[in-house]
Amino acid sequence: MLERVEIETFLALTEELHFGRTAERLGLTTGRVSQVIRKLERYIGGALFERTSRTVRLTPVGEQLAGDLAPLVAAMEAALRKAADASRGVTSELRVAFLGEGTAPALLKAVALFGERHPDCRVEVREVQLSNSRASLVDGSIDVLIASYPFDGMASGPALITEKRVLAVGSGHPLAGERSVSVEVLADHPVVQYPEVTSAGFKRDRTPDRTPSGRPIPKGPAGASFSEMLTLVAMGKGVLPVGEHSRLYYPRPDVTYVPLHDARPIERGPVWRAGNTAAHIGEFVRAVADTAKRS
């Protein structure tokens, strides 16, 4: 049987592909890492890594072993974590996610309050992107998402964050020096678009086809992520209506945020599948509502 140190050292080296970094990560000496790998290779009967003075690469045998061992180790760790949870009286799990840096602090406050009320439920927090936020809810990999409204086809509310809208423009853009502008200016400049996978209702709210007076709004290029969209703005490819928290969480010397004085505020809060009626989801939404009242 393989010893734990051999498995940990092998898997760490498959990720680092560097003996020094592997040793530092595991709190071992470089010589000890080499010794463990040599012992493992003798046991296997073949080389697991190709070493040169500059590179370390997995051999086909090493790749096969890594592919077989990694899920087994993950399953063992999950089993141990499950047993530890059971010993503490933890009987369920809630997976929550945030979309955008600005939602993370508010989410963590709600998680803390939920944890105080429900110590029997372990909460896992992760980040999602524009490209996979909806898919993560649909496939069940997350239970609740803190994101901007509207979110088509999902249950949502109450709002945890309310923020004013601003217009992101390149620092050299003609509007960059304005103290504030009207939503009507969108008809005069291309508007950078969200990814195709973004919900239709959200896109109508953020990047509408027409201004409130009915003037058509020209469409600019689409970005795959929010950071990429801001880069398109900085390049002068278009402007982009965003929440004012972008100033804090996405400050850039090449982007200026100009207030939109006649725009409706943006709301952000919990979003979940309407058919998912699990009790802990309802309790988490209640914690969100109570957190918002305390803010």
Side-chain angles (χ1 to χ4, degrees), residues 217-233:
I217 298 175
K219 295 183 182 297
S225 66
F226 189 68
S227 293
E228 186 173 306
M229 293 169 73
L230 288 180
T231 297
L232 291 170
V233 169

Side-chain angles (χ1 to χ4, degrees), residues 2-41 48-49 51 56 58 62 65-66 69 73 77:
L2 298 179
E3 297 180 5
R4 183 180 180 87
V5 67
E6 294 169 339
I7 296 174
E8 289 181 344
T9 302
F10 170 70
L11 291 178
L13 186 56
T14 64
E15 295 176 1
E16 301 290 348
L17 294 178
H18 189 282
F19 280 80
R21 289 196 298 270
T22 299
E24 182 178 356
R25 171 174 163 179
L26 299 177
L28 304 174
T29 65
T30 303
R32 176 59 175 154
V33 172
S34 297
Q35 181 185 34
V36 169
I37 297 301
R38 285 198 299 270
K39 178 183 176 183
L40 187 56
E41 289 177 327
L48 298 173
F49 296 91
R51 303 121 157 130
V56 176
L58 279 163
L65 181 61
L69 277 181
V73 172
E77 291 176 347

Side-chain angles (χ1 to χ4, degrees), residues 197-250:
V197 295
T198 310
S199 72
F202 180 89
K203 285 190 286 190
R204 283 194 301 270
D205 179 77
R206 292 296 190 281
T207 56
D209 294 328
R210 293 181 177 275
T211 68
S213 69
R215 299 169 65 202
I217 298 175
K219 295 183 182 297
S225 66
F226 189 68
S227 293
E228 186 173 306
M229 293 169 73
L230 288 180
T231 297
L232 291 170
V233 169
M235 294 171 63
K237 301 296 184 180
V239 300
L240 179 65
V242 298
E244 66 176 348
H245 287 176
S246 298
R247 286 174 167 161
L248 176 62
Y249 293 102
Y250 299 92

Side-chain angles (χ1 to χ4, degrees), residues 22-188:
T22 299
E24 182 178 356
R25 171 174 163 179
L26 299 177
L28 304 174
T29 65
T30 303
R32 176 59 175 154
V33 172
S34 297
Q35 181 185 34
V36 169
I37 297 301
R38 285 198 299 270
K39 178 183 176 183
L40 187 56
E41 289 177 327
R42 288 197 299 271
Y43 181 85
I44 297 296
L48 298 173
F49 296 91
E50 295 177 357
R51 303 121 157 130
T52 70
S53 58
R54 295 184 177 181
T55 63
V56 176
R57 294 187 301 177
L58 279 163
T59 64
V61 174
E63 289 182 355
Q64 177 181 317
L65 181 61
D68 290 339
L69 277 181
L72 295 177
V73 172
M76 289 175 60
E77 291 176 347
L80 291 171
R81 186 170 60 250
K82 185 176 180 180
D85 287 344
S87 71
R88 299 195 310 272
V90 175
T91 58
S92 58
E93 180 182 59
L94 178 69
R95 296 158 300 176
V96 298
F98 61 96
L99 176 59
E101 294 291 334
T103 60
L107 168 61
L108 294 181
K109 290 179 182 179
V111 167
L113 180 58
F114 177 83
E116 292 173 7
R117 294 173 172 175
H118 302 280
D120 60 329
C121 183
R122 184 164 65 87
V123 181
E124 178 184 321
V125 178
R126 66 182 70 169
E127 182 182 13
V128 294
Q129 305 299 325
L130 288 170
S131 58
N132 69 343
S133 57
R134 170 174 289 277
S136 297
L137 285 168
V138 172
D139 67 19
S141 57
I142 61 173
D143 299 308
V144 183
L145 169 65
I146 302 296
S148 299
Y149 304 150
F151 213 99
D152 292 0
M154 298 288 171
S156 62
L160 185 56
I161 301 170
T162 300
E163 59 181 317
K164 296 178 181 179
R165 299 190 197 217
V166 296
L167 186 65
V169 301
S171 294
H173 194 278
L175 297 177
E178 298 291 332
R179 295 185 62 180
S180 71
V181 294
S182 167
V183 177
E184 291 295 324
V185 301
L186 297 181
D188 303 322

